[in-house]
Amino acid sequence: MSALSSAITQFVRDLLAPPGEICLTCGSKNRLTREWPGICRRCAESIPWIGKPRCVYCGRACGCPDCLREEARQRSFLLNRSAVQYDDMMREWLAQYKYRGNERYARLLIRMISQALTSMQKEMPLLLGNSDVSGPGEEWKPDLITYVPVSTERLMERGFNQAEVLAEGIGKIHHLPVVPLLVRSEHTGKQSFKTRSERVESMKHAFDPDLEGMQILAHVGKRGRSIQNQGDAADRSEAAGALRVLIVDDIYTTGSTINTCAGRIQEMAQYCTGAPAEVYSLTWARS
Amino acid sequence: MRIAVYAVYMSGAWSIRRSLDIRVDMLWHRQEAEHLGCTGRIVLLDGEMAYGLAMKLEQGFGEQPGMKTWDLARWNQWVDEALGEGMSGTARPIAGKPDKLGAQTRLNPEVWTTRGGILSRHGGSSGRRQWIWDLDQEAPEEVYRLLAEPTGAGRMDAALHTASAAEALDRQAALLGELLRGRSLLAAEADALLQETAPSLAGAWYSAAQLASLQGRLALDAGVAADARPPRGRGPLRMGRARLPRCRRCGSEATGAAACAACGRADCAYCEACLALGRSRACSLLLRAAAGGAPAVRAAAGMSTAAVRGRWGLSAAQGDAACAALCFLAEPPRGGSAAGGRAWRRPLARGAGPANGPGGIAPSRFLLWAVTGAGKTEMIFPLLGAILEKQGRVLVATPRRDVVLELAPRLAKAFPETRIVTLYGGSSERWQAGELTLATTHQLMRFYQAFDLVIIDELDAFPYHNDPMLAFAARHACKADGKFVYLSATPPRPLQREAARGTLAHARVPVRFHGHPLPVPRRITLKSIEQCLRQPMLLRRLNDALRQSLERDAQVFLFVSRIRHIDPLVAILRRIFTGYCVEGTSSEDPLRAAKVTRFRQRDIRLLVTTTILERGVTVPRSDVYIADADSGLFDEASLVQMAGRAGRSSEDPAGRVVFASPQWTLSQKRAVRQITGMNRIARKNGYLKDS
């Protein structure tokens, strides 16, 4: 009898309970926000957005000694932008998604990084100083999106590549092609267990070109850029003629992963299209 | 993961099997056919099928007439039919692989953003590989090719058809079976266990696991799968509900689904309830000890009460209850009592999952209902001793980690000869095996039919209460004919009713170890705290009582129902009781532990708190006040537990308990009735000192 009666009282309680759903991140029962899928207002308001990056190179919200170093000038990518600062709460979110495998976070993280891409699109013309050339109607956008690959072993273990999911997500929202350009050539071990110098060292040989990606790159390089090249002034032709690649990852710490990937993409672009590419980086969090 | 699937005809019947290493199966079945002297046939349906689909194929299999004459095309047709809608789209990337090279000629971004291309890149690179082998005839060429070519990851490298390799594999299978006895582990967890206990097997145990499963030492299950039983009509209420697959580890419905690179399905289901222990999904391998191991051991009968009391130093009331429990442990197993009081209730119970065990035998249960401060921990020692001396395995499960850490040294002292394993989140002994296991509740999910006796402490406390997942885990951790002992001061009402009705074996310990009666709550009428905070004068009646307590030199607990009431109430009380230190603490307070210590040291005299301190805190010479005792957040159990904080020491056994509320509710009435009832039983049995 008790099971039946408790089922009935539970049903009645559910009917009478105030509206609301369980918040994905804090677990409280609350009204969820519309703009950020699955989370309540309180959680949404405490997201540490990087509204205005202090460092124009790496997109850090605070001053950045790394980008003032000599070797930072030699980087293979132009700049990085991140959606949020990597604080304890964001660390927990990413851990829930990446390590625990709670894939309900995917939609939320995609929306967040998509927001970052939108503000990047607003910022770019001003930063590059070519707003007068392209005109107000034309927005800055990359020719293609790619992502940082993970090793096959990790992929099998985890079931997904978080960077790929983010890239596919923003590709769909912003109508941009997503092309896997790289594959992980060896198992480098978890980045989070390493020191800075170890990371830089282990990164050097971690990525190989993806053959299918190469072919696509060659095709896009020829076709996509030939149209724009025609009207450009001679002194800007080199920059404008370059292929614009946006590389996506979940977190930017020292930038060595992104830098290595960008270096590889530069080589590939040089080989396929005869010109270096402009590589930009977009990450979900900046530590 | 992906796995080989084949159909096999043996001793007159067809069956569908999954295989981690198809070579092991081929050799096994050929040997069996030779041994039995009968004909057999193996049809390899798919060398690499998504694990979830393979499970579905195996579960939905029914023999059809004429299967012996089917060719590969007919088998393929059958597979397609059996998998039904699960086959379409990205579920089978080999068939529907989007051609990325073709796509670039169109240069349509949309094509690239589909997941299909990625899935096929990491999913099945080789196409379907199939053959039919009549075991009494020469094997087809593909079989030889399979035996000769290099093996995949996780499998044994040697040529298995040689005698030495077969022997080595047999040894490995036996070892694996032994190491995984009583376990229920996902592949990743099993690998972690082997890393620690048998490094030679780690990372290369697929072949051994396959042999062990053919030998019946091990069951290869899926992390998430549909119930094995066909859906039967369960009344009109059940019909409309979609039947989700269930997590085989925790018994919850698997509510999540996502594209999975490991098996290549676009909707690989996963369990969101037990994510904390590593993700259990439709394509993850769940290794389990085979059901039906050795029968559970029973305690020796016929220990006298005096002997038990003398050996373990128990009081009269404790000794009587322990003896009743010992008699229960000596009883032969009975059928089906763990499923609830009456048979017809069973279908309604949530989290049912697979059947309890062979023949419907379920562990039998015993409730040890001991009042707060009775000394429950001492009483479990004789029970542990009785099973351990018969070489049985025992589990003590408790909801809190600090209890595990506190209990471990005491048990180690009481049982110096026994290997004790303590398990909690982040414990270093995770993969060790011992006769006595002390664990927090979630760790139970890693066991399967492992224990002869399972003792569950504080059954009504937070993680167990109303959590079908932990009930499922506890049931699975115990052997089918094993025993459950529940410990509680405040059993949930269904259990109380069963005990009263006589369907649940139980023993009561109605008195505290010091032999004084429990303090009976007194009632004072007080407006709700909400209102009192606005008009502090209304608190006067409570203040008078509090002053009396403070003046008689008692430590005062003041329980409130809401965290937000604590700070304003502390501010008011500080103004009134200027000579005493007043503090407040709650679950949101980072200094909680420090404040409790200061309260124990009589540094803080009045502590305003919530139900977080209702259990497990012993402060000598304390009085308890419960404001808003009519709040719905305080049920009978928590009122009894809070009242149980008073008068616990033998120096001051008559602490005061006060329920302050504007209304007299059913919960309060029942709590008082439970306390007076226990006192009455104690007096009647002559356990009280002053009677």
Side-chain angles (χ1 to χ4, degrees), chain B residues 239-284:
Chain B
M239 258 162 60
R241 224 165 132 257
R243 290 174 62 86
L244 288 167
R246 273 187 194 284
C247 173
R248 297 298 188 96
R249 177 169 62 170
C250 77
S252 320
E253 280 188 332
T255 42
C260 172
C263 71
R265 287 186 73 175
D267 57 343
C268 184
Y270 66 92
C271 175
E272 292 180 307
C274 59
L275 278 177
L277 287 158
R279 188 155 66 153
S280 162
R281 57 188 321 166
C283 74
S284 53

Side-chain angles (χ1 to χ4, degrees), chain A residues 101 103-104 158-159 210 223, chain B residues 107 121 258 261 270 272 279:
Chain A
E103 295 197 42
R104 281 186 196 236
R158 216 174 263 165
D210 181 309
R223 193 163 173 272
Chain B
L107 200 70
R121 269 150 39 88
Y270 66 92
E272 292 180 307
R279 188 155 66 153

Side-chain angles (χ1 to χ4, degrees), chain B residues 270-433:
Chain B
Y270 66 92
C271 175
E272 292 180 307
C274 59
L275 278 177
L277 287 158
R279 188 155 66 153
S280 162
R281 57 188 321 166
C283 74
S284 53
L285 178 67
L286 181 68
L287 294 144
R288 231 183 217 176
V297 301
R298 300 207 306 266
M303 273 253 253
S304 79
T305 315
V308 172
R309 283 184 56 188
R311 163 108 166 67
W312 301 98
L314 301 179
S315 72
Q318 284 175 319
D320 288 347
C323 271
L326 281 174
C327 287
F328 162 77
L329 293 185
E331 269 173 25
R334 288 173 304 163
S337 77
R342 293 183 212 166
W344 59 266
R345 268 175 50 188
R346 240 181 276 176
L348 276 171
R350 288 182 60 212
N356 279 324
I361 292 180
S364 41
R365 303 170 306 156
F366 186 88
L367 171 66
L368 206 52
W369 185 352
V371 295
T372 52
K376 285 194 291 280
T377 316
E378 290 79 15
M379 269 183 284
I380 66 173
F381 285 9
L383 312 186
L384 298 178
I387 296 294
L388 287 173
E389 78 186 10
K390 292 274 175 178
Q391 271 76 47
R393 288 183 74 190
V394 191
L395 170 75
V396 181
T398 152
R400 285 197 316 265
R401 196 183 121 152
D402 40 341
V403 177
V404 170
L405 295 174
E406 181 201 299
L407 202 52
R410 288 172 71 182
L411 287 173
K413 214 170 141 196
F415 304 102
E417 307 290 295
T418 310
R419 252 184 316 157
I420 299 177
V421 181
T422 50
L423 302 175
Y424 48 88
S427 154
S428 59
E429 299 176 0
R430 238 181 337 165
W431 307 121
Q432 289 176 20

Side-chain angles (χ1 to χ4, degrees), chain A residues 1-2 100-104 155-156 158-160 164 168 175-178 180 210 212 215-216 219-220 223, chain B residues 100-101 104 107 109-110 112-113 118 121-122 255 258-262 270 272 275-276 279 281 344 497:
Chain A
M1 197 56 213
S2 71
R100 285 265 170 102
N102 191 344
E103 295 197 42
R104 281 186 196 236
L155 190 65
M156 289 302 147
R158 216 174 263 165
F160 59 93
E164 181 188 339
E168 299 278 358
H175 303 286
L176 294 166
V178 179
D210 181 309
E212 289 180 32
Q215 288 169 329
I216 297 170
H219 195 89
V220 175
R223 193 163 173 272
Chain B
K100 203 186 293 177
L101 297 181
Q104 58 170 299
L107 200 70
E110 291 299 320
W112 296 334
T113 55
I118 308 319
R121 269 150 39 88
H122 302 294
T255 42
C260 172
Y270 66 92
E272 292 180 307
L275 278 177
R279 188 155 66 153
R281 57 188 321 166
W344 59 266
R497 265 198 299 260

Side-chain angles (χ1 to χ4, degrees), chain B residues 315-318 369-375 379 508-518 678-679 681-683 685-689:
Chain B
S315 72
Q318 284 175 319
W369 185 352
V371 295
T372 52
M379 269 183 284
R508 266 186 257 222
V509 187
V511 68
R512 290 186 161 165
F513 73 94
H514 55 51
H516 295 277
L518 296 164
M678 283 296 190
N679 282 343
I681 296 171
R683 186 158 293 122
N685 293 343
Y687 293 140
L688 292 183
K689 260 191 189 144

Side-chain angles (χ1 to χ4, degrees), chain B residues 4-27:
Chain B
V5 181
Y6 64 94
V8 59
Y9 179 78
M10 191 61 69
S11 349
W14 279 98
S15 55
I16 296 282
R17 298 275 178 87
R18 285 159 288 145
S19 176
L20 289 168
D21 187 346
I22 188 74
R23 301 173 302 162
V24 176
D25 293 70
M26 295 184 321
L27 298 170

